[in-house]
Amino acid sequence: MSEPAPEREFTYIGKPFPLREDFRYVQGRGRYIDDVDRPGMTYLALASTSVAHARLIDVDVSEALATEGVLAVITGRELAEAILPVPQNLDLPEVLWYPLAVDKIRYSGEPVAAIIATSRAIAEDAADLVVADYEELDPVVDPKAAMAPDAAVLHEKIGSNVVWHDSFDWGSDVDEIFASADHVFEFDYRWNRNGGVPLETMGVIADYDVRRDVLEVWASHQSPHLDSEIAKVLRLSDRQVLLHQDIEVGGSYGAKRGRKQVFLTSYASRTVKRPVKYIEDRRDNLIAGDAHGPDRYFSARFAVTEAGVVKGFQLDIVDDVGAYVGRGPLQMGKPVTAVVGAYTIEAVRYTGTAVTTNKTNQAPFRGFGMGPHNYVLDRSMDRIARALGIDRVEIRRRNLIPADAFPYRIPSGSTYDSGNFQGALEKALSMPGCPLVERPEPTPGTLLGVGLSTCVEPSGGNQAIFSFLNPKAPGMTPETTKLTITNDGSLIATIGFQSTGQSHESLVTQLLCEELGFPRERIVVERGNSHSGMVGATPIGDRMTLMLGSAVHKAAAKMRAKLLRIAAFRLDLPEDRLTYRDMAVTADGDGRRVTVKELIHAAYHEQLGIPEDEEPGLTITAIAKLPGGGLGLDEKRRLQHGFPSYGFSVHIPVVEIDKETFRVRLRDYYVVHDCGQVINPLVVDGMVIGGISQAIGSILLEHFDYSEDGQPLSTSFMDYMLPTADVMPTRIRLAEQRTPSPLHPYGAKGTGEGGYLGGPAAIASAIDDALAQLGVVVGTTPITPARIFAAVQEAGALEEAIA
């Protein structure tokens, strides 16, 4: 557990607070999408082909439709006439994307028909009877190859596979900085596809009520504004769509931002006028779930002084977005909010190219593109230090943004709210046994390496970053909390999104204990549906500590103010003489007091017991607006207002590489994290440790691989390697530094992504350190034993490595 370092006096905040959700999770009492049952339920299955790229001539569904128990079969052409295309996040009206292929198949596993039947088994058997007639086309798999003039094109109306390209200069004159640099370093990296692979796959239940003309939807999703999107795509009004939020989401971290499954199931329910359930099987999830993370080529250049000060940074990205343009390309937008990371780089050129290929779509995996960016930036910092003969710690001391420079505006326009990066680094070095200070001895038969990364963590969310790639994209991300004190003294807090396993019910309860003094057992957290007036944007962008925390703080303040007004009326005293504390309002000076219980009774039962202009009852709604930032691009200078708040972490892992197998093992892992005022150290520690496990997966194991003809090679957990307990470090040591954010009522910052955002760079740094004596660098992820072996062999260092 993190060592507490209180800077303000709180009763609950900053201390371990028991997690409310965990009781039902560990007892197997969570309610997930497959637990929802509706009378007359029907089931949807998908028919797909294994061809990666083809012109779709016809889909014969006659045999499937004739199967006993089949209620309907939907094809892409029917769907295209009935609904609008799936919304995309780039301004590309020429690209029409539907949940089922219409005239072309653009990736292996893309469905061509949907079967609705009285049982899942019947629907799946009937799906096998669908026959697709198609003319096969050349596939494009590699994004650089897809940019070639003679490459097969996925969307002919665009005329190219390049769907977005732009270049931005920020800060000092980039060309001048590079022309005058003492050294220019160039590094190439290949970040291959991996992503969030949830225990629970994507699932949807849609139930169209003909009598009410309302479509009720439950979905295991993480998409903001999903109710409005369902209404728009199905050509309904918002009042005709009721999106429930009262189920658990069994894992996401961005992987459940796909929406095509929801639109298709909703249309199916309106077609058969019965409830329809669709649950992805694992294979569909892996190959066609729109759930893959970033897939990029990076070319990075750095202008550096003789003293090792990095003055200029150029980054060229080629991003493989997959067959259609979902939210994937927007993952080049978030890194702009922290484009220089933790460093004082004064000139930046950022060039991005989004390319379509014959693969399933990207989803905004954890960190929304920031993890790969930090990986490039921080790993390069190590390589620059090595080339100049400067210690890795020392080069960071020379480049980290100094503590007295905050708030600090980076060249791309974002303002870092607070920080003490150098202090966190020194704290990490002072941890007992820090391997950068006391280098450990390797286990016999291994190469030992120590890594280092110093990475920022943008938090708070801001959909204005979408305008970086699409000026027409919206940019509002508020969050709502509604509080009701009931007649019997219970406190009900309503929030507007599903449980995604991130302890938000615990967060709300803890803050209400702090603000209103209610006992934990009298507080209930409910989930409001889309008709309950909850304005919000789901747990995306590392935003809930800032946004939900601010909304709870605001609602509690409004509730406290109302109780004070009623108390002032009853005591016949001005409000400024009253203090709310310990479930009572007390008058300064004379000691008179009125309890919350008495105020509740007055609010609900005493017509003359409350001020004449006071509304009866005790219900309050508060909506928090994004602090700071929140604006889009500056048209003239092309600056980007980014996320409002920035955390920071230092990662120092120790790896050992087996000399015979080249398998990498994490031996120790040290982290100093700074997320401002910690709300609940249990949650923060869990987020950091969980993030480290995802970092291990990304950098060492996970890869959605494809063959040259576009066939997915990672179709089960035999092929897609997930991190398990045996790959976790033997020891993880955490420490914290608290640099409060001035933008949050408690000084807190987000911490949901920090473990992941710094991990890949740190582990790669440790591997580089272990292989440095061999002159070997593996620039492609995941850094597998096979890639290490190939690199060592290519360097002619095999004998030295195994000696």
Side-chain angles (χ1 to χ4, degrees):
M1 184 185 301
S2 300
E3 178 186 349
E7 295 174 355
R8 290 175 55 187
E9 288 298 324
F10 292 114
T11 304
Y12 295 95
I13 291 174
K15 301 178 175 67
F17 190 85
L19 303 182
R20 306 198 72 166
E21 301 90 334
D22 289 22
F23 289 103
R24 64 175 186 267
Y25 293 156
V26 299
Q27 293 174 1
R29 293 180 178 175
R31 182 172 179 258
Y32 297 88
I33 184 67
D34 208 28
D35 296 321
V36 177
D37 194 19
R38 304 289 289 174
M41 187 81 85
T42 64
Y43 300 85
L44 185 150
L46 297 172
S48 60
T49 73
S50 60
V51 65
H53 194 194
R55 199 167 306 287
L56 185 58
I57 298 170
D58 185 42
V59 180
D60 183 355
V61 302
S62 56
E63 200 171 345
L65 196 54
T67 303
E68 184 176 353
V70 170
L71 304 177
V73 179
I74 300 166
T75 65
R77 287 175 186 167
E78 173 188 340
L79 211 56
E81 291 179 2
I83 69 173
L84 297 177
V86 177
Q88 299 176 101
N89 295 91
L90 295 181
D91 187 20
L92 292 167
E94 305 90 348
V95 177
L96 302 180
W97 172 24
Y98 291 93
L100 303 173
V102 179
D103 54 358
K104 285 188 76 175
I105 297 166
R106 293 184 172 89
Y107 60 91
S108 177
E110 182 172 14
V112 297
I115 295 87
I116 301 98
T118 52
S119 77
R120 179 168 179 162
I122 293 173
E124 291 185 347
D125 286 347
D128 292 338
L129 302 176
V130 172
V131 179
D133 182 17
Y134 53 81
E135 174 190 350
E136 200 161 347
L137 302 170
D138 291 335
V140 285
V141 179
D142 181 83
K144 285 192 172 180
M147 295 167 63
D150 60 346
V153 174
L154 272 75
H155 301 277
E156 286 83 356
K157 288 184 178 177
I158 295 180
S160 163
N161 293 315
V162 175
V163 291
W164 180 81
H165 173 80
D166 212 335
S167 185
F168 299 79
D169 279 16
W170 293 301
S172 302
D173 188 292
V174 177
D175 294 322
E176 230 174 67
I177 289 285
F178 273 83
S180 61
D182 296 325
H183 302 275
V184 173
F185 295 96
E186 299 184 9
F187 307 114
D188 292 324
Y189 302 99
R190 178 73 171 103
W191 180 278
N192 275 307
R193 280 184 177 221
N194 59 78
V197 181
L199 280 173
E200 176 202 51
T201 57
M202 183 78 180
V204 187
I205 293 173
D207 188 357
Y208 177 57
D209 184 335
V210 178
R211 182 181 62 81
R212 294 158 54 217
D213 189 22
V214 171
L215 177 71
E216 295 191 58
V217 179
W218 295 257
S220 179
H221 78 100
Q222 196 193 346
S223 286
H225 318 304
L226 183 62
D227 51 322
S228 295
E229 289 198 335
I230 296 170
K232 181 178 179 182
V233 169
L234 268 65
R235 297 189 170 101
L236 303 174
S237 67
D238 286 350
R239 70 137 191 105
Q240 291 175 285
V241 176
L242 176 58
L243 180 64
H244 294 273
Q245 306 281 16
D246 57 348
I247 59 172
E248 327 274 357
V249 177
S252 178
Y253 287 109
K256 288 179 178 169
R257 296 286 293 277
R259 298 152 291 165
K260 66 185 182 188
Q261 303 94 332
V262 180
F263 303 144
L264 177 60
T265 309
S266 296
Y267 175 76
S269 179
R270 283 176 60 82
T271 299
V272 299
K273 296 182 173 50
R274 288 175 62 174
V276 177
K277 175 186 281 189
Y278 170 66
I279 307 288
E280 277 180 340
D281 64 24
R282 182 58 65 187
R283 189 174 187 278
D284 282 341
N285 176 260
L286 291 174
I287 71 172
D290 294 346
H292 294 183
D295 182 351
R296 297 177 179 174
Y297 284 97
F298 290 102
S299 296
R301 299 181 75 226
F302 296 86
V304 187
T305 70
E306 191 63 41
V309 176
V310 180
K311 307 283 284 184
F313 174 37
Q314 293 184 27
L315 188 63
D316 196 326
I317 306 167
V318 175
D319 190 35
D320 180 346
V321 302
Y324 300 94
V325 188
R327 288 190 169 93
L330 301 178
Q331 295 183 91
M332 286 187 285
K334 180 174 178 179
V336 175
T337 69
V339 71
V340 297
Y343 307 114
T344 56
I345 301 171
E346 64 182 70
V348 178
R349 177 168 294 154
Y350 190 81
T351 303
T353 305
V355 185
T356 52
T357 65
N358 294 114
K359 300 175 185 172
T360 191
N361 293 344
Q362 278 191 27
F365 180 52
R366 196 171 191 178
F368 209 22
M370 200 67 220
H373 186 85
N374 283 346
Y375 163 78
V376 170
L377 191 55
D378 239 61
R379 193 179 183 190
S380 298
M381 196 62 76
D382 268 24
R383 296 175 71 178
I384 293 167
R386 188 172 295 117
L388 295 177
I390 302 173
D391 181 81
R392 287 176 290 172
V393 172
E394 180 56 32
I395 201 169
R396 284 173 170 82
R397 287 177 176 142
R398 297 177 189 180
N399 286 279
L400 285 172
I401 298 166
D404 60 5
F406 290 92
Y408 184 83
R409 193 183 198 207
I410 65 171
S412 56
S414 294
T415 297
Y416 294 177
D417 53 338
S418 67
N420 182 1
F421 300 165
Q422 298 197 6
L425 176 59
E426 299 305 326
K427 185 161 191 170
L429 297 173
S430 69
M431 292 174 73
C434 176
L436 283 173
V437 179
E438 304 171 26
R439 190 176 179 89
E441 290 295 323
T443 302
T446 68
L447 299 168
L448 184 137
V450 180
L452 173 62
S453 73
T454 46
C455 297
V456 296
E457 178 183 1
S459 66
N462 181 5
Q463 288 190 313
I465 62 171
F466 294 177
S467 63
F468 176 69
L469 287 90
N470 179 9
K472 296 180 180 177
M476 177 81 92
T477 50
E479 201 58 48
T480 305
T481 297
K482 178 180 174 183
L483 297 181
T484 296
I485 299 176
T486 66
N487 187 48
D488 71 348
S490 299
L491 176 55
I492 300 173
T494 306
I495 56 179
F497 55 90
Q498 297 177 137
S499 171
T500 52
Q502 294 161 300
S503 307
H504 296 128
E505 291 169 34
S506 303
L507 170 71
V508 172
T509 303
Q510 186 177 7
L511 296 183
L512 290 174
C513 286
E514 184 73 48
E515 293 293 342
L516 295 176
F518 274 62
R520 178 175 179 271
E521 59 273 13
R522 296 197 72 85
I523 300 173
V524 176
V525 181
E526 300 285 357
R527 311 272 176 174
N529 62 42
S530 63
H531 284 188
S532 61
M534 309 301 292
V535 181
T538 73
I540 58 170
D542 205 353
R543 62 187 292 274
M544 280 304 171
T545 298
L546 264 78
M547 299 306 299
L548 181 61
S550 297
V552 172
H553 177 266
K554 189 175 179 181
K558 291 171 77 172
M559 181 64 80
R560 198 166 48 240
K562 177 160 185 167
L563 293 170
L564 283 170
R565 288 196 301 273
I566 297 174
F569 177 78
R570 295 176 72 84
L571 296 172
D572 194 22
L573 289 172
E575 292 173 38
D576 60 6
R577 284 194 54 194
L578 302 178
T579 301
Y580 181 98
R581 185 184 302 123
D582 299 331
M583 298 290 288
V585 176
T586 306
D588 296 339
D590 61 11
R592 285 188 292 161
R593 68 195 295 268
V594 56
T595 65
V596 168
K597 184 177 180 180
E598 293 170 310
L599 296 173
I600 293 170
H601 189 272
Y604 281 100
H605 301 291
E606 299 179 28
Q607 179 77 21
L608 302 179
I610 62 175
E612 188 175 348
D613 57 353
E614 190 71 47
E615 293 180 355
L618 290 169
T619 296
I620 292 294
T621 298
I623 303 176
K625 191 176 179 183
L626 190 74
L631 301 176
L633 293 178
D634 179 317
E635 290 295 336
K636 185 176 178 183
R637 300 186 62 198
R638 311 185 84 185
L639 294 178
Q640 169 73 40
H641 282 277
F643 283 31
S645 192
Y646 292 80
F648 180 72
S649 58
V650 180
H651 291 241
I652 304 173
V654 179
V655 306
E656 289 184 329
I657 303 175
D658 188 283
K659 289 185 174 182
E660 291 187 353
T661 65
F662 293 103
R663 181 173 185 247
V664 178
R665 181 177 74 88
L666 270 294
R667 183 165 134 175
D668 287 308
Y669 208 113
Y670 293 68
V671 179
V672 172
H673 57 83
D674 185 348
C675 58
Q677 170 63 52
V678 170
I679 303 296
N680 187 346
L682 297 176
V683 175
V684 172
D685 290 359
M687 287 290 185
V688 173
I689 293 171
I692 290 170
S693 72
Q694 284 190 317
I696 292 170
S698 292
I699 203 68
L700 298 180
L701 301 169
E702 299 180 51
H703 181 194
F704 289 114
D705 200 6
Y706 283 77
S707 67
E708 290 183 356
D709 59 354
Q711 292 305 309
L713 302 176
S714 312
T715 61
S716 75
F717 289 153
M718 293 293 289
D719 313 305
Y720 189 83
M721 304 300 293
L722 288 169
T724 50
D726 68 317
V727 303
M728 289 297 286
T730 307
R731 286 174 296 189
I732 299 177
R733 300 180 184 188
L734 306 181
E736 75 179 51
Q737 176 180 271
R738 296 183 182 181
T739 311
S741 170
L743 303 177
H744 189 269
Y746 308 112
K749 303 177 179 181
T751 191
E753 297 170 347
Y756 175 71
L757 297 190
I763 297 169
S765 164
I767 295 171
D768 287 347
D769 185 49
L771 299 176
Q773 59 185 292
L774 308 176
V776 170
V777 173
V778 180
T780 298
T781 65
I783 304 176
T784 60
R787 287 198 168 100
I788 296 174
F789 172 75
V792 171
Q793 193 174 41
E794 185 178 345
L798 199 52
E799 288 189 11
E800 186 182 353
I802 62 178

